[in-house]
Amino acid sequence: MIEDNDGLRRLLQETKTIAVVGLSPKPDRPSHEVAAYLQRAGYRIVPVNPACEEVLGERCYPSLREIPVPIDLVDVFRRPEDVMSVVEDAIAVGARALWLQLGVIAPQAAARAEDAGLKVVMDRCTKIDHRALLG
């Protein structure tokens, strides 16, 4: 589990492509605000939401397993009880890291991801940490 600023900074610097699971098309939703910020910061955003065709000008995918490009970081905006299936998909597609957003606390899913070799961040916001460490 990455909890120190140096580890968070390194992860954000190494990341190029972020799959945002649960990305809402509604601008007033936290997932949309965070993803838009990350996109402006230079990351490639890949929306994951089975109810959408496109978000933030990017093609939206129903699941991680359908994304045709390598994923560095899976940023999760889902309820804790939904995270384990996201972790299994992240492992299956070879993602390098899993980031569970503020309020998303899923210790068993985080442990599963770590056991599979993914770097894990839990209960933190990518936008807040990026702005504080790299902004």
Side-chain angles (χ1 to χ4, degrees):
M1 189 85 61
I2 300 174
E3 296 175 343
D4 64 291
N5 285 344
D6 288 339
L8 292 167
R9 184 180 296 109
R10 197 167 30 259
L11 175 59
L12 291 167
Q13 288 172 330
E14 293 170 354
T15 295
K16 303 289 182 248
T17 303
I18 303 174
V20 184
V21 178
L23 178 51
S24 173
K26 299 175 185 172
D28 60 328
R29 302 289 298 176
S31 62
H32 192 281
E33 179 187 335
V34 169
Y37 169 86
L38 294 170
Q39 194 177 50
R40 288 191 305 273
Y43 295 99
R44 178 176 181 190
I45 298 301
V46 183
V48 179
N49 183 333
C52 299
E53 294 288 319
E54 183 180 289
V55 180
L56 293 170
E58 297 289 340
R59 179 173 173 206
C60 198
Y61 294 89
S63 75
L64 287 173
R65 292 176 190 253
E66 296 177 50
I67 297 172
V69 297
I71 299 300
D72 296 319
L73 176 67
V74 177
D75 195 1
V76 183
F77 287 88
R78 297 288 308 273
R79 293 188 309 255
E81 59 267 26
D82 297 330
V83 173
M84 188 61 84
S85 65
V86 174
V87 167
E88 294 301 337
D89 287 350
I91 293 166
V93 302
R96 295 189 313 107
L98 176 77
W99 191 301
L100 304 181
Q101 278 291 330
L102 276 174
V104 182
I105 301 169
Q108 289 178 311
R112 170 76 178 108
E114 282 187 314
D115 289 347
L118 278 76
K119 297 175 184 171
V120 177
V121 178
M122 184 166 60
D123 193 25
R124 297 185 69 111
C125 177
T126 44
K127 177 183 174 182
I128 292 169
D129 283 331
H130 183 277
R131 185 179 283 157
L133 300 169
L134 299 174

